[in-house]
Amino acid sequence: MKYYIIAGEASGDLHGSNLMRGLYSEDPRADIRFWGGAEMDKVFREHQTGTGMVRDYKDGAVMGFTQILLHAAAFLRRFSDCTSDIMAWHPDVVILIDYPGFNFRVAEFAHKAGFKVFYYIAPKVWASRESRVKKLKEYVDKLFIVFPFEIPYFSRKGVEFIYKGNPLIDAIDNSRAMADTRESFLERTGLPDTPTIALLAGSRTSEIGVMMPVFMQFADMLHAIPEYSDYRFIVAAAPSRRLEDYAGYVRDREYVSIVFGESHSVMRFSQAAVVNSGTASLECALIGTPQVVGYGGSPLNFLIAKSIIKVKYISLGNLILDRHCFRELLQFYFTPDNLVEEVRRMIEDTAYRAGMLDGYSQIRQMLGGSGASASVARAMIGELGARDC
């Protein structure tokens, strides 16, 4: 079978890589062609079966309404390249992973061109742009969801779906970080043996530009407190970025380090984490590191988002529990002072810390057990009627 997979950002690349492992396992002759990143490419190279990567997602990731407008021409070129490639390769199925701004357009094209369309990691229509539910019904043959709270939502909306648990549990539990030791982590990264605070700014240029200045002010303030003077702040850099994307913000702060390709280990061996809203927040919960989520953007983007987002929380962990397990500091509340206060509370208040970790256990339990990626792969092949391929 020929599978055409499209992932448009780091989280999609991660989930896409695990899905590919499942597809290769269930369909040894699978021919996979994809838009993704280093994780998906690594799986392809391990198997050396199929066509491989068309384009790296980092060439086109943008965030925010104004950013999308500014990159409209490049977006249209990528869309044209993608649809032309699909037509030329003629896959048995087009599998779209999250990234709705691009993938909804591809879904419409692929459906009208007569291709089978699967959507993996549902677009967050339950949070905003609910009108897209109509497009899911019209252009997607089967939706594969990954959160328990999505089950009643899509049932009410009459969208056919398959739920096999959340693949992030496999990604975390099978990662090097969970088998790692602190000693090997420090030796590998060259970091000193001191307490650390993890800083995760996201992978998009616009996110880094908003988060890093606040992170650095926060680091300055906390480092100036005597009992925290020996703490080191670790910027867990996205693998798709370059050192230059962060170095200009860090400057000559000797107590701040930038580490690439070690996000899970940085979280695991830190006393607390400050995390940009997104998949990293749920990863942090599954790893078990106390966290505070921050989010900021241009005033225009924030006002637009506030007017259309319907959910009570922006973090997946809080959404799963339907309560605040950890704090979310949004826009005007995302300040260095508030970060210092919250991080100190997570480290110094043992009862508060224990309550957050208990919430993490509940999140993991509600997401189900391991093996979600393989189960989704089997379900996809079953939907294609290819169990004996």
Side-chain angles (χ1 to χ4, degrees):
M1 299 289 285
K2 297 171 68 175
Y3 307 86
Y4 199 104
I5 305 176
I6 302 174
E9 50 200 343
S11 60
D13 181 37
L14 177 65
H15 295 315
S17 67
N18 287 316
L19 176 63
M20 287 172 63
R21 286 191 177 93
L23 290 172
Y24 281 128
S25 176
E26 297 296 319
D27 180 5
R29 292 180 292 175
D31 189 354
I32 301 177
R33 187 170 176 86
F34 60 90
W35 292 48
E39 294 298 320
M40 294 173 73
D41 193 47
K42 177 182 177 182
V43 175
F44 166 72
R45 294 180 184 281
E46 288 172 356
H47 290 81
Q48 289 296 319
T49 301
T51 309
M53 186 156 65
V54 181
R55 183 174 297 186
D56 196 308
Y57 75 84
K58 67 183 179 182
D59 294 337
V62 298
M63 181 181 184
F65 304 95
T66 55
Q67 286 290 308
I68 290 171
L69 291 174
L70 290 172
H71 292 80
F75 178 96
L76 291 174
R77 284 195 299 271
R78 286 192 297 276
F79 178 73
S80 177
D81 291 345
C82 182
T83 54
S84 297
D85 195 54
I86 290 172
M87 288 299 294
W89 198 58
H90 210 275
D92 293 293
V93 62
V94 176
I95 302 173
L96 310 172
I97 302 180
D98 202 359
Y99 202 51
F102 187 82
N103 277 340
F104 265 118
R105 292 281 301 275
V106 176
E108 180 178 359
F109 162 81
H111 173 79
K112 290 181 177 178
F115 297 104
K116 184 80 75 173
V117 178
F118 292 163
Y119 213 124
Y120 183 42
I121 317 291
K124 297 175 180 61
V125 291
W126 35 262
S128 64
R129 301 188 185 184
E130 196 171 51
S131 60
R132 287 174 163 177
V133 170
K134 182 180 179 181
K135 294 182 178 181
L136 283 175
K137 291 181 178 180
E138 189 171 357
Y139 304 131
V140 175
D141 294 284
K142 190 67 69 174
L143 178 67
F144 295 81
I145 64 174
V146 297
F147 298 111
F149 61 80
E150 294 177 321
I151 295 173
Y153 177 84
F154 286 113
S155 295
R156 288 195 306 269
K157 295 300 179 181
V159 178
E160 291 191 14
F161 63 84
I162 291 175
Y163 176 64
K164 296 292 184 180
N166 194 292
L168 200 55
I169 290 178
D170 290 334
I172 294 296
D173 290 351
N174 296 329
S175 69
R176 177 177 64 179
M178 301 311 287
D180 212 355
T181 65
R182 179 175 174 80
E183 290 73 19
S184 64
F185 167 66
L186 295 178
E187 182 179 357
R188 191 169 63 247
T189 57
L191 294 169
D193 188 7
T194 60
T196 58
I197 305 293
L199 304 176
L200 291 99
S203 60
R204 301 179 179 94
T205 301
S206 55
E207 292 175 314
I208 295 169
V210 169
M211 305 294 287
M212 285 299 295
V214 180
F215 281 177
M216 293 303 97
Q217 293 175 60
F218 153 71
D220 292 342
M221 292 175 62
L222 192 64
H223 180 71
I225 299 172
E227 54 264 46
Y228 289 93
S229 60
D230 62 337
Y231 271 67
R232 180 166 291 269
F233 302 84
I234 312 298
V235 178
S240 60
R241 310 306 309 190
R242 300 171 302 168
L243 179 62
E244 294 78 18
D245 295 324
Y246 303 92
Y249 300 103
V250 174
R251 298 182 185 274
D252 56 354
R253 294 176 173 87
E254 72 282 356
Y255 44 88
V256 179
S257 298
I258 303 169
V259 176
F260 281 85
E262 297 277 358
S263 294
H264 291 164
S265 291
V266 169
M267 290 184 206
R268 186 181 174 208
F269 296 115
S270 290
Q271 278 60 50
V274 186
V275 186
N276 180 33
S277 63
T279 303
S281 174
L282 185 55
E283 291 174 324
C284 198
L286 294 176
I287 288 170
T289 302
Q291 68 177 299
V292 54
V293 165
Y295 173 83
S298 72
L300 176 59
N301 280 342
F302 181 73
L303 289 174
I304 294 173
K306 189 176 180 181
S307 69
I308 64 174
I309 291 177
K310 302 175 299 179
V311 292
K312 292 183 289 185
Y313 315 106
I314 67 167
S315 303
L316 293 170
N318 289 337
L319 280 168
I320 291 166
L321 291 178
D322 195 27
R323 66 175 175 84
H324 268 122
C325 175
F326 44 87
R327 285 193 70 187
E328 299 175 348
L329 300 175
L330 311 183
Q331 197 69 4
F332 309 112
Y333 296 96
F334 179 53
T335 66
D337 297 88
N338 285 340
L339 289 178
V340 168
E341 178 184 359
E342 183 61 16
V343 168
R344 292 194 65 177
R345 186 182 182 193
M346 289 189 293
I347 293 174
E348 298 171 17
D349 188 335
T350 55
Y352 183 62
R353 184 183 183 93
M356 191 180 300
L357 296 180
D358 181 65
Y360 285 178
S361 297
Q362 294 176 46
I363 291 169
R364 178 177 275 270
Q365 183 177 15
M366 292 175 71
L367 286 178
S370 60
S373 299
S375 295
V376 167
R378 283 194 296 272
M380 287 183 173
I381 293 171
E383 287 292 316
L384 293 168
R387 292 188 185 276
D388 298 324
C389 64

